[in-house]
Amino acid sequence: MVFCGRVNPITGALDWIEEDENYDYHQEIARSSYADMLHDKDRNKKYYQGIRAAVKRVKDRGEEAVVLDIGTGTGLLSMMALTAGADYCYAVEVFKPMADAATQIVKVNGFGDKIKVINKHSTEVTVGADGDMTRRANILITELFDTELIGEGALPSYEHAQHNLMQERWEAVPHRATIYAQVVESHKLWSWNKLLPMQLESGNLEPPYEMQSCPGAPSVCDVQLSQLNPRDFRPLSDILVVFRVDFSKQVSSSPASHIVNFTSLADGSAQVVLSWWDIDMDPEATIICSMKPSWLYPALHAAPWRDHWMQCVYFLPEEKKVTQGEEICLIANQDDYCVWYNMTNSRTADGSLTDSPACRCGAHITWNRARFGELNDQKRMDKYKEALKTILMPSSVCLCVSDSSLLPILAHSVGAAQVFTLEPSSLAHQLMDKILQTNNLKNKIHILQKSPDKVTAADLGERKVTALIGEPFFTTSLLPWHNLCFWYSRMALSEHLAKDCTVLPMSASLYVLAVEFKDLWRTRSPCGNCEGFDVSIMDEMIKKSLDFRESQEAEPHPLWEYPCRALSDPTKLLTFDFRKKIPTEEMKAEGSLSLVRSGVCHGVVLWMEYQLTEDISISTGLLQLSDETGSCQWYPHRKQGVYFFNYLWNLGLAPTDCHSSVTYNLMFNPQQGDIRMSFIPKS
């Protein structure tokens, strides 16, 4: 056992936790996407068809089929190659636990003498009598792709392998990849990237120029575009072929730009590029594995679900007004790991590579996309504004405790005499300072670059705080209850609060709902037999990892991307009253959830609801529930907690209609700021 230092996201304290020395390894296995990939029948089927065709092409030339499988994972594709008639396979896997698992899996399936698992990065593999490979391969199989296609270093890996590990002529599976893009206008998506003007009591809150002109974050926004309503964007271009990569020819990882000219379909503001890719498994493109979103499939054709590959949202460096019929040039730039886009008039495009976007304003470093969306949610901010109107007076001394919050500005706009806000982070302090300066509020709202326990009476002008406010939101929070940090901050500030100090929100309540997921359960379901191969060793590894403390608890997921049905009614478990001191005794909740709808109960969802005032509340989870179907609408700007049942592993798949309730036992430990939980389905 070893001691690991971790910052407690609720209390803010550094906790020393005793963990197994293999803790990080078990967490990596538990959080991996291997189950998701193995359950992706469309992917597996297309890969096998492509492998079988490649082996046949080599055999038809009278050659032995020698396969190099880079990133073999469980060894599934290598075993497919041997089944398809390949003579030998070198399976390369850099992650040692997976390489060990692959070694066992290929032996269990009877391929131990025909598949050599090499635990190295492919660029370290050697060829020769004493090398890792005794001969070069003539079939290259890879699954090195991510949502962006090239984000896991596929291009340099291909480049090295083709130069050093392959024969002069080789077949590749997949054979080629095609990147697609569509330019759109979307207020919803754009609000994930820029701070937009916000309506106040007296005019608008305007974002600083540095934010408006900032090109944004360099990283792609990967998302389940299938869950985005097509009404949330307006297409300004057709679906465009941006570039292709032919894996049967020498690949280059050198930076490049790709010019695509198109005619604008409508008047609008070009803001966002939606993108995805297809891979052709054979030269004739008769076997295609596509990542396109569901709304591009025929009405009666269900899109294959996968979470290991999604779709991309790229934000243009600045929005550009276009008119219908205008000739426009979209420029895709790529290096060996990333893609980024620019747009210009087709007559001025010169094809030169532009620099990758980098945040200059600090906002894209401080806030993630969901936080941008939350700050731009006018309906949500209106609720806070109405709540603040009921508690603030001209004489109020207001202190805000939330990271990078606009509540201090709302408090000032409704008439608070003095407003203070805590921003312990220097970057967040600079960011808020820019916003205040742009809106002539710098002398009216005071930013304290301090944690709550470091605030002094002098910082507050020797005045007591009469209104303590928060959203609450903290950048260190992963799970919904981590924002109970607000309660601990309130206790740290106790000596500075007036006796009749109003606290907003008044309280927070933890809710739970038993659900049936449409697809998300696949990431936690065992594979056992996959495409005719025994991969149960992988199941055992993941099950063992899930037995570790942290993996038995809830996981954060943005459920607006993952549809589910409610099988129970939403139930309040615990209420935390911020107007009172944190209790010294543990808070407990025990009981059961009755399942009022039939279905497969995969687990429960947990979220927080905040009571701002007696009449105004905010939910960070369930927004709407259909009584008839049980379909759920989830708050899109926060992640909800998902607790999967372990019986998915005990029984293989959750049995239908065999449970009538879910018993629960939760315990909140005030000293540790931790919630321990147990949920068990009962017949």
Side-chain angles (χ1 to χ4, degrees):
M1 303 295 286
V2 295
F3 283 94
C4 301
R6 290 194 173 90
V7 176
N8 188 308
I10 301 179
T11 65
L14 178 64
D15 295 338
W16 289 95
I17 302 172
E18 190 177 31
E19 298 286 10
D20 184 278
E21 61 183 3
N22 293 318
Y23 175 80
D24 290 336
Y25 148 70
H26 284 290
Q27 291 307 303
E28 178 125 10
I29 290 291
R31 306 298 189 204
S32 71
S33 296
Y34 290 112
D36 177 37
M37 289 186 284
L38 293 173
H39 279 294
D40 189 343
K41 293 188 178 296
D42 178 72
R43 161 195 176 270
N44 297 340
K45 176 183 176 182
K46 302 292 176 56
Y47 259 100
Y48 181 62
Q49 291 174 341
I51 290 169
R52 190 171 55 189
V55 170
K56 184 178 185 301
R57 290 194 298 273
V58 170
K59 293 286 189 178
D60 287 348
R61 296 199 295 264
E63 302 175 15
E64 278 193 318
V66 181
V67 174
L68 173 62
D69 175 10
I70 300 179
T72 194
T74 60
L76 177 64
L77 301 185
S78 294
M79 293 188 293
M80 286 182 176
L82 268 293
T83 303
D87 296 285
Y88 198 81
C89 182
Y90 297 101
V92 180
E93 174 57 52
V94 68
F95 184 36
K96 190 177 187 307
M98 282 310 307
D100 293 342
T103 300
Q104 296 180 61
I105 290 170
V106 299
K107 285 181 179 178
V108 166
N109 287 275
F111 298 109
D113 59 337
K114 291 292 186 75
I115 298 175
K116 180 181 180 182
V117 178
I118 304 170
N119 179 210
K120 287 185 176 181
H121 192 283
S122 63
T123 56
E124 299 172 341
V125 172
T126 58
V127 179
D130 298 322
D132 302 304
M133 299 170 58
T134 58
R135 50 184 164 166
R136 290 177 177 245
N138 55 10
I139 299 177
L140 178 57
I141 301 173
T142 60
E143 208 277 51
L144 299 171
F145 313 119
D146 67 348
T147 294
E148 202 172 12
L149 184 73
I150 65 173
E152 291 186 0
L155 295 183
S157 295
Y158 268 109
E159 187 175 36
H160 175 272
Q162 291 166 344
H163 270 304
N164 300 284
L165 307 177
M166 303 304 296
Q167 298 175 20
E168 289 188 7
R169 181 180 182 183
W170 68 85
E171 302 292 336
V173 182
H175 183 80
R176 75 175 65 83
T178 305
I179 302 281
Y180 297 92
Q182 185 172 37
V183 180
V184 303
E185 175 185 74
S186 173
H187 176 83
K188 180 184 181 75
L189 296 178
W190 195 241
S191 72
W192 298 356
N193 183 56
K194 299 286 185 181
L195 183 62
L196 306 177
M198 184 177 68
Q199 294 176 5
L200 301 175
E201 292 298 292
S202 55
N204 283 347
L205 172 72
E206 296 295 335
Y209 173 76
E210 295 97 316
M211 284 191 195
Q212 293 175 306
S213 60
C214 181
S219 58
V220 65
C221 176
D222 54 344
V223 69
Q224 292 281 5
L225 273 184
S226 294
Q227 300 310 314
L228 188 71
N229 193 316
R231 293 192 296 271
D232 287 330
F233 62 90
R234 178 198 293 181
L236 298 179
S237 77
D238 291 318
I239 295 171
L240 310 170
V241 174
V242 179
F243 66 91
R244 288 189 168 95
V245 183
D246 190 335
F247 301 121
S248 66
K249 299 177 181 177
Q250 183 61 56
V251 168
S252 171
S253 61
S254 299
S257 62
H258 311 272
I259 293 178
V260 184
N261 293 306
F262 69 93
T263 302
S264 177
L265 299 178
D267 296 345
S269 294
Q271 299 167 322
V272 175
V273 176
L274 308 181
S275 182
W276 56 89
W277 49 265
D278 290 351
I279 43 178
D280 301 333
M281 296 299 185
D282 63 326
E284 296 77 27
T286 60
I287 310 165
I288 302 174
C289 188
S290 177
M291 304 308 119
K292 64 185 178 184
S294 61
W295 27 265
L296 290 178
Y297 281 82
L300 299 179
H301 191 293
W305 186 85
R306 46 178 71 97
D307 200 44
H308 54 104
W309 294 328
M310 292 186 275
Q311 294 81 38
C312 301
V313 172
Y314 296 94
F315 301 101
L316 292 169
E318 57 183 359
E319 59 182 328
K320 178 179 173 60
K321 295 289 185 183
V322 299
T323 57
Q324 184 175 1
E326 183 179 356
E327 294 297 317
I328 304 294
C329 178
L330 180 68
I331 304 172
N333 307 279
Q334 51 114 152
D335 57 21
D336 49 351
Y337 282 90
C338 302
V339 178
W340 63 97
Y341 287 89
N342 298 89
M343 213 175 73
T344 185
N345 185 288
S346 59
R347 292 186 296 273
T348 60
D350 60 6
S352 58
L353 189 72
T354 61
D355 292 335
S356 172
C359 176
R360 299 191 297 260
C361 70
H364 302 90
I365 300 171
T366 307
W367 305 334
N368 60 23
R369 269 89 187 211
R371 183 59 174 164
F372 269 104
E374 187 166 58
L375 292 174
N376 286 319
D377 187 340
Q378 186 69 52
K379 290 182 179 179
R380 172 181 173 275
M381 298 308 289
D382 285 345
K383 275 196 171 186
Y384 279 103
K385 185 163 56 178
E386 291 305 309
L388 289 171
K389 283 181 181 179
T390 67
I391 69 164
L392 296 181
M393 298 177 290
S395 60
S396 295
V397 178
C398 184
L399 173 61
C400 178
V401 181
S402 274
D403 290 349
S404 301
S405 178
L406 300 180
L407 289 196
I409 298 173
L410 290 182
H412 171 77
S413 75
V414 300
Q418 281 192 296
V419 181
F420 299 88
T421 184
L422 301 186
E423 293 290 355
S425 159
S426 60
L427 191 58
H429 179 281
Q430 295 170 21
L431 184 60
M432 188 56 60
D433 190 68
K434 290 178 186 175
I435 295 173
L436 298 182
Q437 188 171 354
T438 299
N439 292 275
N440 298 316
L441 296 172
K442 193 169 180 180
N443 296 324
K444 300 170 183 176
I445 297 173
H446 307 283
I447 309 172
L448 304 178
Q449 191 180 334
K450 291 188 172 185
S451 58
D453 59 318
K454 301 298 183 185
V455 173
T456 66
D459 293 327
L460 301 171
E462 306 298 336
R463 299 184 66 179
K464 294 289 186 180
V465 173
T466 60
L468 181 70
I469 65 174
E471 301 187 44
F473 170 82
F474 299 93
T475 56
T476 55
S477 299
L478 296 175
L479 290 160
W481 46 93
H482 288 171
N483 287 307
L484 289 176
C485 181
F486 178 77
W487 203 6
Y488 288 82
S489 299
R490 176 241 189 273
M491 296 305 298
L493 291 162
S494 292
E495 65 178 286
H496 305 298
L497 306 183
K499 288 184 179 180
D500 58 349
C501 178
T502 302
V503 181
L504 182 153
M506 301 164 50
S507 63
S509 295
L510 178 64
Y511 280 80
V512 68
L513 184 71
V515 299
E516 174 185 47
F517 283 108
K518 181 181 178 183
D519 293 298
L520 187 61
W521 63 272
R522 300 175 195 275
T523 64
R524 290 294 176 270
S525 178
C527 302
N529 185 288
C530 180
E531 309 302 329
F533 302 104
D534 181 357
V535 295
S536 57
I537 292 169
M538 191 64 212
D539 291 341
E540 293 170 12
M541 290 175 62
I542 298 179
K543 176 62 170 68
K544 184 177 179 181
S545 297
L546 288 171
D547 286 339
F548 270 65
R549 174 186 55 80
E550 194 165 294
S551 294
Q552 290 178 325
E553 297 181 354
E555 306 170 10
H557 289 282
L559 289 189
W560 75 269
E561 294 186 58
Y562 304 106
C564 62
R565 289 178 57 245
L567 300 186
S568 73
D569 293 326
T571 301
K572 186 189 297 185
L573 299 178
L574 292 168
T575 295
F576 309 93
D577 192 337
F578 298 149
R579 296 165 298 181
K580 299 178 180 178
K581 293 182 178 180
I582 297 173
T584 56
E585 301 295 323
E586 291 181 329
M587 298 174 63
K588 300 178 182 179
E590 295 179 326
S592 65
L593 306 173
S594 296
L595 302 187
V596 297
R597 298 178 185 85
S598 62
V600 180
C601 192
H602 296 123
V604 300
V605 178
L606 301 110
W607 70 94
M608 299 289 273
E609 291 191 8
Y610 295 98
Q611 200 68 38
L612 303 184
T613 65
E614 294 289 354
D615 302 319
I616 302 174
S617 63
I618 291 281
S619 174
T620 63
L622 188 66
L623 298 180
Q624 190 171 334
L625 173 62
S626 168
D627 290 333
E628 188 173 329
T629 65
S631 62
C632 305
Q633 180 186 348
W634 297 99
Y635 182 65
H637 308 312
R638 300 274 181 103
K639 291 182 179 181
Q640 291 74 41
V642 178
Y643 185 105
F644 290 101
F645 293 146
N646 277 347
Y647 76 80
L648 289 175
W649 291 90
N650 297 332
L651 301 180
L653 284 176
T656 305
D657 299 334
C658 72
H659 296 118
S660 59
S661 66
V662 175
T663 63
Y664 59 82
N665 188 310
L666 285 85
M667 188 173 297
F668 173 67
N669 184 315
Q671 283 70 43
Q672 297 177 357
D674 184 33
I675 297 180
R676 298 191 301 276
M677 60 186 67
S678 171
F679 294 92
I680 303 173
K682 296 289 185 181
S683 299

